[in-house]
Amino acid sequence: MVKKNDCSKFHVFIQENQDFLNNPVIKDFLSNKSNYNLLRQSICNPTYHNKEELDRAFRGFYFNIRFTAYISSTIYYHAINLDKKMRLLNYRFPTTLDQPVKEESDISIKDMTIYHEDFELKSDNILDYITDSNIYKAVKRLTPNQRNILYLVYIKGLTDSETAQYLKKSQQTISKSRNKALKRIRKELNISPENCIF
Amino acid sequence: MVETLYQLAVKSKNDSKAVVKILNAFKPKINKTLKQTRFQYRSDLDQELQLKLVTIIKKYDVEKLDGFWEFYDKQKNFYNKKD
């Protein structure tokens, strides 16, 4: 039986295969002590059993890398493809609301879904829209600027960037002060953010 | 003992529980991917992705993977070609 330390074959192998040993996969595989010993074993005593052991360890290790990479990239690309597909379908088949409900009918889906309000509140002060007294108090405590932003975003339905354009400020400023205002309202009403819908 | 991914993949060919275990292992990755799409489509996408994973897990040929010495030979060829 050859002693572990003076196995010359192994040293020769190491010397001759620097490129191979620097391969990231192999490097990582051999950084595990027991794998390293398996390699040494199978070079010094190249029995079928030793080779098989090394192969088995390597397969398990290599499989993990390949399989994880394969699954991850599949998830990534498949998601992109599906997203593209959905967007394409939405583009090709937009929801049409102004077609007649039935043939020879005057009413379209649009007419049925629109809610005709006979009374419309017209005010540019957000306080006029609030019916709940607690929320009214909370909103009243905000700065006029914050109230204005809330009005534009939630009553007028503008996006943050549209509001920013309108007020000649940056979008970051708007979303910051909007969130700050909401936070203050929440605090005022004693609602934790998790139980809150806005 | 916790089964390795390799054992699960070998089993997955005729054991649907193993497939579910692999799916669960990759769930965080799926969830992360879902964030890139709009909220309305997330559960649709989730379902589609899981479906796709089931097919590719079942199709994945575990036997085809190189052993250590096969890998060694391939790498050797690769370096020789480069020189």
Side-chain angles (χ1 to χ4, degrees):
Chain A
M1 175 94 184
V2 193
K3 257 192 187 174
K4 256 188 185 173
N5 288 337
D6 43 50
C7 170
S8 56
K9 264 201 218 159
F10 185 60
H11 283 287
V12 174
F13 180 82
I14 297 270
Q15 299 261 300
E16 279 181 350
N17 294 289
Q18 278 305 316
D19 270 351
F20 174 66
L21 293 171
N22 274 328
N23 180 303
V25 176
I26 297 298
K27 222 173 170 178
D28 209 15
F29 176 64
L30 294 179
S31 69
N32 185 331
K33 207 84 199 127
S34 68
N35 290 337
Y36 191 77
N37 285 334
L38 279 176
L39 175 66
R40 196 215 295 271
Q41 280 284 314
S42 77
I43 290 176
C44 296
N45 312 314
T47 61
Y48 178 74
H49 174 74
N50 281 345
K51 286 198 164 187
E52 195 70 348
E53 282 278 285
L54 178 66
D55 256 359
R56 218 164 48 91
F58 182 72
R59 273 217 175 89
F61 174 82
Y62 193 40
F63 173 82
N64 257 346
I65 299 177
R66 291 288 296 265
F67 193 66
T68 312
Y70 178 48
I71 300 259
S72 300
S73 54
T74 306
I75 292 176
Y76 178 73
Y77 287 110
H78 198 58
I80 291 179
N81 284 341
L82 286 174
D83 226 29
K84 270 190 199 159
K85 210 163 127 191
M86 276 187 236
R87 233 171 298 149
L88 188 68
L89 282 180
N90 276 343
Y91 172 73
R92 282 194 184 147
F93 308 107
T95 324
T96 33
L97 296 177
D98 47 5
Q99 267 172 355
V101 180
K102 277 181 202 160
E103 273 176 67
E104 297 167 37
S105 140
D106 294 337
I107 311 168
S108 71
I109 305 175
K110 195 170 72 178
D111 296 326
M112 290 169 68
T113 45
I114 288 180
Y115 171 62
H116 296 282
E117 207 173 351
D118 30 8
F119 167 73
E120 204 183 339
L121 189 56
K122 280 214 167 82
S123 160
D124 50 7
N125 188 346
I126 190 166
L127 287 170
D128 296 338
Y129 292 87
I130 297 172
T131 47
D132 185 291
S133 68
N134 287 330
I135 299 179
Y136 184 87
K137 273 182 216 153
V139 173
K140 210 169 176 194
R141 292 191 167 205
L142 300 175
T143 66
N145 182 38
Q146 284 172 327
R147 278 205 298 265
N148 196 19
I149 290 174
L150 289 188
Y151 164 74
L152 289 170
V153 173
Y154 294 111
I155 307 293
K156 283 276 186 187
L158 301 183
T159 64
D160 278 359
S161 18
E162 283 164 353
T163 313
Q165 225 169 26
Y166 183 72
L167 295 177
K168 299 202 172 54
K169 283 178 182 159
S170 75
Q171 179 259 320
Q172 284 93 328
T173 321
I174 299 297
S175 88
K176 233 184 204 169
S177 33
R178 183 172 58 79
N179 282 326
K180 213 168 157 190
L182 292 183
K183 216 167 154 187
R184 255 183 84 178
I185 297 174
R186 268 185 222 130
K187 210 175 146 194
E188 210 74 38
L189 297 172
N190 273 330
I191 311 174
S192 64
E194 294 88 58
N195 306 330
C196 204
I197 46 161
F198 51 70
Chain B
M1 194 194 113
V2 184
E3 291 156 297
T4 63
L5 206 52
Y6 183 68
Q7 289 163 333
L8 284 175
V10 172
K11 264 202 212 164
S12 69
K13 302 292 171 265
N14 38 33
D15 177 5
S16 49
K17 275 187 191 145
V19 178
V20 173
K21 278 184 191 161
I22 298 180
L23 276 184
N24 283 337
F26 283 99
K27 193 84 215 308
K29 172 78 186 166
I30 294 183
N31 286 341
K32 195 182 165 212
T33 315
L34 290 183
K35 284 193 185 144
Q36 71 183 12
T37 194
R38 281 166 63 184
F39 191 79
Q40 297 95 298
Y41 301 133
R42 280 189 196 166
S43 41
D44 276 353
L45 191 64
D46 188 22
Q47 183 177 323
E48 291 287 339
L49 283 179
Q50 303 221 26
L51 205 65
K52 178 81 181 172
L53 284 196
V54 172
T55 6
I56 67 166
I57 289 169
K58 290 229 172 203
K59 243 173 44 187
Y60 197 85
D61 191 356
V62 182
E63 306 301 320
K64 226 171 67 185
L65 207 69
D66 292 341
F68 186 83
W69 294 112
E70 290 163 61
F71 190 77
Y72 174 77
D73 288 340
K74 273 189 190 162
Q75 290 294 318
K76 268 261 113 76
N77 282 335
F78 178 69
Y79 287 124
N80 287 343
K81 260 184 211 160
K82 234 175 35 177
D83 288 338

